[in-house]
Amino acid sequence: MDPVQQTETVQERGSPEPTTAPPDLILVLIPGLRADQGGDIHAAGAVLAPFEDQIRLNATSAYAQTTSAQVSLGSLLVGMYPSAIPLCGSTTLQPSDQKTNWCEQIPTHRATLPKVLRAYGYRTAFFSTHLTRSDLMSAHFDATHDLSVSSSDHTTPWAALGTSIQQWWESEALHPRFMVIVLSDLEVQHRADLRQAMGVSPEPTAAERPGPGIQIHRGGPGDGSTHADRLLPADLFSDPLKRTQAFENDAFLWSEYTTDPVLTEILSDSNFYQDEILQKHRADFPPLANKGGKTGPPKRQKNPWSDVDHEVIDAVYDDAAKAVGEQLYTLLDGLPTQPGRIRWTTISSTNGQSIGELTGNTAYPRSFAFTDLILERTTHVPLLFLGPGEGQTRLEDPVELIDILPSMLHLAGAQPPTDALGDNLFLGTRELGDNASAYIEFGDMFAVRRGAYFLTTRALVHHTTALNPVLTLFLQRRATSSHYWLHNVEKDPNQRFDLTHSHPSLLNSMHELMLDYRLGPAAVAEGLENSELLKETLAQPSAGYW
């Protein structure tokens, strides 16, 4: 959704013919399934091949609003950006700890897709074989079924899933039905066959990992593939409260680095060293300078995946996707239909993933496959609507997963909630062409896609959530190449060529768009930014971004 609402002529796009009975609705989400525009990975096509003749609407440039599967699921079910709901991921240091933060659950006052459909007489169910928290969905569906497996492979138990779905589907035959299915098969880091194909552990060895610390990065002026790294000690901002105060007091520098890949100055703000914790470490990172005419970047950490056969990995991933498509087709094709009632199925993903690529990234990944950095490949996902009739409408302009809610409600003949922000993709009310845009947030990272361009930024506020109000202050600063990366993802889908230096005007306009989202439809929920509840949550120790 564009942050500035546009008025356009309404145009039907593959809408269904009116029927006397509301249709059955199915939403299938496959975390880790990405919509590649380039390269040798064809997983999305492999999954969707069996359904080709059923596709009525194909949004080829759909973006998840976050890279977290759990948060993305909540966001698309509400039809709002995560911070506006508000939603966050888990802050627990141990995954086995089942303590739930208040912001991990969809607030009870928010209307969701299943809740609205229930008001229109639908029976609703949630089926998951993924590691998402199915228990957090129980308040929104009539029935929840968690079939996630505990083995290291995390592949779907298709027989058990099929039986469970068939039983529920037949038991509610007298009512219109809506079910969500979340599958686990394409999350590469959990696949035993991919680990075997790699011939290495999916995590770097201790010798390959960088030492504990906070990394400061600078992309190169050319293709973005060169950078210099400096590690700040891990306890630099170990106290979340002190870390927040440091940013609020402008003690941490959002400095411009030189266009040379050599990091000539890490921190130029003298206030940075006034704090006792920082003063203690000052000698650890003196500025890099020319000495005897010699200068060069610090030693780069080893790429732990340089010896991996990427063709093998791509092939295994594509084969896994093909298997998912075939099994999913068999499952859905076996569901009986009711006389006079049609069926619409939406297939998408909560997030994409990076699989061994290094481009577009400001640091070597901590694991071979990851989702915890905002990139084109971790957020660009398939979005298709399968239904009766003939012909296929292609939407090539950027759209968002929050558009799923109003689009599926349109198919049901239902009205969306007044606070839902998504657009109905079956009606031409969305901004199109070069002004079409999408917004993404996760941790201390933000991105916007508009037209062909994709702008990303990192505030380097580590182990935090997008709910952190400090991040709004960061976005209100002038955009610099130190913290922003700009790519033409239509011509450069693997994000090899950073355009921040060559396109300064575009950088500024994209930055304004990003800020418009953050201060407008994607703003942190009203009244939350200065609340004690959020302050207490931000002060909790956390592992990673949430």
Side-chain angles (χ1 to χ4, degrees), residues 70 73-74 77-78 85 87 104-119 122-126 133-144 178 180:
Q70 186 75 50
L73 173 62
L77 288 179
V78 177
I85 294 175
L87 274 180
E104 291 181 63
Q105 305 183 68
I106 299 173
T108 54
H109 71 278
R110 292 293 185 196
T112 60
L113 180 54
K115 277 187 174 181
V116 174
L117 289 172
R118 285 163 68 179
Y122 275 76
R123 295 294 190 266
T124 64
F126 180 84
R133 293 278 302 277
S134 299
D135 58 303
L136 300 182
M137 296 292 110
S138 59
H140 303 274
F141 292 85
D142 294 315
T144 57
F178 169 63
V180 175

Side-chain angles (χ1 to χ4, degrees), residues 252-514:
F252 187 84
L253 173 68
W254 314 108
S255 66
E256 290 218 41
Y257 299 156
T258 65
T259 57
D260 189 280
V262 178
L263 197 55
T264 59
E265 186 174 4
I266 297 176
L267 302 163
S268 63
D269 190 337
S270 60
N271 291 332
F272 182 86
Y273 296 110
Q274 291 179 2
D275 189 286
E276 183 178 349
I277 269 188
L278 309 182
Q279 183 67 38
K280 175 174 75 170
H281 294 297
R282 184 171 187 176
D284 292 343
F285 23 79
L288 298 176
N290 290 325
K291 294 183 180 179
K294 296 181 179 180
T295 184
K299 183 179 180 181
R300 294 175 63 177
Q301 56 188 87
K302 178 186 176 184
N303 172 9
W305 316 119
S306 58
D307 298 328
V308 172
D309 189 336
H310 289 270
E311 291 185 3
V312 173
I313 301 303
D314 295 350
V316 174
Y317 179 58
D318 288 342
D319 287 345
K322 181 180 180 181
V324 169
E326 292 172 349
Q327 294 277 12
L328 182 61
Y329 180 84
T330 300
L331 187 156
L332 298 181
D333 190 55
L335 296 178
T337 57
Q338 291 299 111
R341 190 187 305 161
I342 62 175
R343 185 169 82 201
W344 282 86
T345 301
T346 303
I347 299 180
S348 187
S349 172
T350 55
N351 55 275
Q353 62 184 319
S354 185
I355 309 175
E357 302 99 339
L358 299 179
T359 55
N361 187 5
T362 60
Y364 287 131
R366 290 166 293 176
S367 61
F368 180 83
F370 63 89
T371 63
D372 58 354
L373 294 176
I374 292 181
L375 296 163
E376 163 77 3
R377 56 188 175 269
T378 61
T379 57
H380 184 184
V381 296
L383 176 55
L384 302 102
F385 293 83
L386 318 179
E390 297 180 356
Q392 179 184 136
T393 299
R394 286 175 63 88
L395 292 180
E396 297 182 352
D397 298 309
V399 303
E400 301 169 308
L401 291 193
I402 61 173
D403 298 333
I404 289 176
L405 178 140
S407 300
M408 295 195 78
L409 289 179
H410 168 78
L411 296 173
Q415 292 296 315
T418 56
D419 55 0
L421 299 172
D423 291 299
N424 180 355
L425 298 181
F426 289 97
L427 299 177
T429 55
R430 185 179 181 86
E431 180 74 6
L432 301 177
D434 290 341
N435 290 323
S437 62
Y439 170 86
I440 306 139
E441 62 178 43
F442 178 65
D444 66 346
M445 295 161 274
F446 299 89
V448 286
R449 163 86 192 264
R450 181 166 64 188
Y453 295 95
F454 192 78
L455 179 69
T456 56
T457 186
R458 291 193 69 183
L460 295 178
V461 184
H462 293 269
H463 305 293
T464 193
T465 169
L467 297 176
N468 193 333
V470 170
L471 301 178
T472 305
L473 301 178
F474 164 73
L475 288 178
Q476 289 174 317
R477 296 174 178 270
R478 182 171 64 91
T480 70
S481 56
S482 308
H483 291 270
Y484 288 80
W485 295 268
L486 178 65
H487 300 90
N488 182 329
V489 291
E490 288 185 357
K491 296 181 178 179
D492 178 28
N494 291 321
Q495 296 175 274
R496 290 188 172 93
F497 305 101
D498 182 6
L499 304 177
T500 53
H501 295 284
S502 58
H503 294 63
S505 297
L506 183 58
L507 167 64
N508 291 333
S509 64
M510 293 285 286
H511 171 240
E512 290 176 5
L513 175 66
M514 183 181 289

